[in-house]
Amino acid sequence: MSRRHEKRAARGERQVEAPRAEATCPLCLRPIPPGARASRHHLTPRLKGGTHRGTVLLHHICHQAIHARFTEAELARRFTEPEILRAEPRLAEFLGWVATKPPEFHAPTRTARDRTPKWR
């Protein structure tokens, strides 16, 4: 892999392996064991100026659930902290469901029916 591609992979939101020390997902509050599917979530979307702002490590399924339910504009305006996302009713049903699953659990996520289309 070229150096350019390594840099892109390092800074992007691509799927990454969880660090050696067991982390905790700030959205579902379950542990992220080593080897579990995890990804970095920009607290402010990169498209909305969040390139160099904070990121958090989430279970990949939790990260997909966020982006299935909210547009980039909504995330930039209202949901810049995991605590705010956890309190959102649109995620409450998902969080209750995923809390019953083991930390390594992963399943495909569909776009929520109540999400505002991207073009609005």
Side-chain angles (χ1 to χ4, degrees):
M1 184 184 292
S2 72
R3 180 179 282 176
R4 186 175 94 212
H5 292 297
E6 287 173 358
K7 285 182 181 179
R8 280 185 184 169
R11 72 170 181 254
E13 288 185 346
R14 290 156 185 82
Q15 182 179 325
V16 295
E17 192 170 308
R20 285 279 176 225
E22 197 169 274
T24 300
C25 177
L27 192 61
C28 69
L29 305 176
R30 296 179 303 144
I32 304 173
R37 293 180 76 172
S39 56
R40 292 239 166 243
H41 172 67
H42 284 83
L43 296 172
T44 302
R46 290 185 301 171
L47 293 173
K48 301 294 182 181
T51 303
H52 299 293
R53 296 188 184 164
T55 62
V56 291
L57 185 66
L58 303 172
H59 286 107
H60 192 64
I61 191 170
C62 296
H63 194 195
Q64 287 177 319
I66 291 170
H67 289 285
R69 287 161 176 79
F70 306 109
T71 63
E72 300 293 311
E74 287 177 307
L75 290 169
R77 258 188 316 234
R78 298 180 44 215
F79 303 110
T80 56
E81 296 296 325
E83 296 79 23
I84 299 170
L85 282 164
R86 255 196 329 269
E88 174 58 33
R90 287 185 273 177
L91 272 178
E93 185 178 345
F94 165 79
L95 292 174
W97 173 78
V98 82
T100 65
K101 307 295 181 214
E104 308 83 25
F105 177 79
H106 180 74
T109 304
R110 296 184 327 185
T111 300
R113 284 183 233 122
D114 63 342
R115 177 180 163 166
T116 307
K118 288 183 179 181
W119 57 89
R120 289 188 188 170

